[in-house]
Every structure is written in C-alpha cells, then in structure tokens.
Amino acid sequence: MQRFPIADAHCDFLYYMVNDGWDLNKPVPRQAVALPYMQEANAKLVFFAAWIDGDMKRNCLQQAMDLLDAYHTMMDANPILTPLTKDFSPSSDKIATVLTVEGGEGINGEAANLRLFYRLGVRAMNLTWNFTNELASPAMRRANKGLTDRGRQIVREMNRLGMAVDVSHLSDAGIDELLTLSERPIFASHSNMRSVYNQKRSLKNEHVKAIAEMGGVVGINYYPGHLSDAATARIDDIVRHIAYGVDLVGADHICLGSDFDGMTNYPEDLKSWRDVPKLLEALQKAGFSEDELKKISYQNLHDYIIQFC
C-alpha cells in the first residue's frame, strides 16, 4: 500500500506533557502521541490541543497559558516540528503542527485573551468541552442550550481574527446557531456520526451536511465510547463512521480526528499513532480509492485549516 501522508485534527498530548511530564521522544506505555510513532506512520500534520480541564482547581486561563507554553517548548525542542504555513509540503521531512484550544473557558470570557492566544499561534478553538461556560453549553448536558451573548461576540471575533471555530463537544442548539452566525466555515475536530451510533456527542446528519456545505470538515475520532455500544471497538468501527460520512457528504469533507491521549481505552487494533496506517489499509479494503484515501488521510484537513494559517 502507498505510504500516504496523514493528518490528525485533535490530540491531547500537551495536557500530559504539563501535568504528567510526558516526553514526545520517550513515550510511556499509555502514551499514543510520540515522535517515533508519528514518523513511523508518516504523520505530516497534527493539531495539538490545549485542553482545559474543568475538574482542575487551577484557574482556566492559567491552565491555557501553561499548555500554550508547553506547545512552544515542544516545538523548540523538536526541530522536525514546524507550524503549518501555506508553503508547507507533506513531501518534506518536517511534521506540520497547528495549535488549538479545547474549551473556551480558557479565555476567561475575554476577547483580549482570545486575541493574545491568536498571537501565540492558536488557530482553532472549541467553545466548550463538557462543561457549561461563559460562551456556550456542551453536548454532554441534559439541557440543549446554545451560545450566550458573550459566546456570539467571541465567535464574531474569531471570524475577524481568522481563528477556526470547532463544534466538537458543542450542543446541537449551539451548532444550529453557529451555522447561521459564523461567516467562515466551521469544523468538527473529533466527532462521529450519530446515525451510526446514537451518542449525543456525535453529529446529526443535518449538521454534518451543513458543515460540509459551508466548506468545513468533520474529523472522525477513535474513542470506543463514540463508535458503538459494544464493550470493545476495532478499526472496522472507525471505518463505518468514515464510510457513512463519505456517503452523506462526499470524500471532500471527512478527515481524521483521533482524540489520541484524550481517552483511557482505545480500539483493540489501534492503540497509538504507529497503528494509524492500519486504518488506511482497512479503508482501502473497504473500497476507498487512492484519491479518496489521500483526501481523508491528509488533504481535506490541510485544505480546510490552511485558510486560517
């Protein structure tokens, strides 16, 4: 099988770098994101998320700053990593990176902090994680509420700056609002297909279609709890979500969004970055063409995010 370049719209490595001392070059047993694994798999574009932990007593803004600092420390220590720019080529020996924020509480409700994050390299942000904050309500709450007035103001400022709005973890009502409010294409960094497995954190068909119509992409994640109701999951479960998405909106709007290092268990046959080529092999066996594989594995995510870089 051809060695395709691979892009990933979401990982949580930075959190464990800050809080558990993880090293990108010396992985511990449960670490999925590591430079040796990424190189082995031909990783060429990786989104590193600054995940704001709502259960941590540490101030959310300070959490965010610690994580953004960790990203820049990681970049300085690993010259093979480079911020994504318009002239980046996946044929180079570099791995492009994009810095994102998972959880809008990290800006403490302030547009000034958002602008500072942008200057520090942040190019995408989820309005919420699993907690209600000053901006919006999450999918994983009983009440289906949308954006707050402050949240709408922040979205407008994200549009003005050129920062992508990520709908993963957002409530259905919030996504409905964003589809009319945002003047730039929105995306889902790590969300699955609710019609394949009915999980409220996954996306409804109408939202997948609307995101695609705007020019956005949906990154399919590998978390077993979002793949099926079985006790375990396998690569074939991920393939089902990808195939459903491609049937729904075409191969130009589906990509990969692993959620690596953001979960405690993985599909039995996909435990880390080094296993991702197995997913492409499974897609090939499922009948995806070489052109479709190139789009899903790398090109779609690259072409979406490059407008913000």
Side-chain angles (χ1 to χ4, degrees), residues 26 44 53 59 65 98 109 118 120 151 154 185 188 212 214 279-280 299 302 305 308:
K26 299 175 182 178
K44 286 299 170 181
D53 185 353
N59 175 276
M65 295 305 294
V98 173
Y118 183 83
L120 289 170
I154 292 299
M214 288 182 76
L279 172 57
L280 300 189
Q299 203 64 48
H302 170 275
I305 201 61
F308 299 98

Side-chain angles (χ1 to χ4, degrees), residues 221-264:
N221 79 48
Y222 311 161
Y223 178 46
H226 293 172
L227 294 171
S228 76
D229 60 359
T232 59
R234 298 188 62 81
I235 285 174
D236 287 346
D237 296 303
I238 304 171
V239 171
R240 276 194 289 274
H241 284 264
I242 292 173
Y244 187 90
V246 170
D247 286 344
L248 190 65
V249 297
D252 293 332
H253 301 283
I254 303 299
C255 61
L256 306 180
S258 68
D259 204 9
F260 275 147
D261 292 334
M263 56 188 113
T264 55

Side-chain angles (χ1 to χ4, degrees), residues 186-229:
I186 61 177
F187 81 119
S189 62
H190 58 304
S191 293
N192 291 351
M193 301 290 155
R194 198 178 298 179
S195 289
V196 176
Y197 173 54
N198 189 13
Q199 217 283 346
K200 65 188 300 184
R201 235 283 276 138
S202 297
L203 296 177
K204 299 193 297 185
N205 284 358
E206 64 193 73
H207 288 157
V208 178
K209 290 179 179 179
I211 290 168
E213 287 169 4
M214 288 182 76
V217 293
V218 174
I220 302 300
N221 79 48
Y222 311 161
Y223 178 46
H226 293 172
L227 294 171
S228 76
D229 60 359

Side-chain angles (χ1 to χ4, degrees), residues 63-76:
Q63 283 189 58
M65 295 305 294
D66 291 344
L67 293 159
L68 301 193
D69 176 66
Y71 169 81
H72 287 285
T73 299
M74 175 187 73
M75 298 294 287
D76 290 344

Side-chain angles (χ1 to χ4, degrees), residues 53-129:
D53 185 353
D55 289 322
M56 185 180 286
K57 293 181 179 180
R58 191 165 177 76
N59 175 276
C60 290
L61 176 58
Q62 188 57 56
Q63 283 189 58
M65 295 305 294
D66 291 344
L67 293 159
L68 301 193
D69 176 66
Y71 169 81
H72 287 285
T73 299
M74 175 187 73
M75 298 294 287
D76 290 344
N78 295 280
I80 193 172
L81 303 179
T82 183
L84 179 65
T85 58
K86 296 189 189 310
D87 61 353
F88 176 78
S89 170
S91 64
S92 75
D93 61 356
K94 301 282 189 176
I95 299 172
T97 68
V98 173
L99 176 60
T100 75
V101 170
E102 183 176 26
E105 52 266 40
I107 65 168
N108 199 30
E110 298 295 336
N113 291 333
L114 180 77
R115 290 189 286 271
L116 288 170
F117 282 14
Y118 183 83
R119 293 182 183 115
L120 289 170
V122 175
R123 290 298 177 265
M125 184 175 78
N126 306 66
L127 298 182
T128 64
W129 183 59

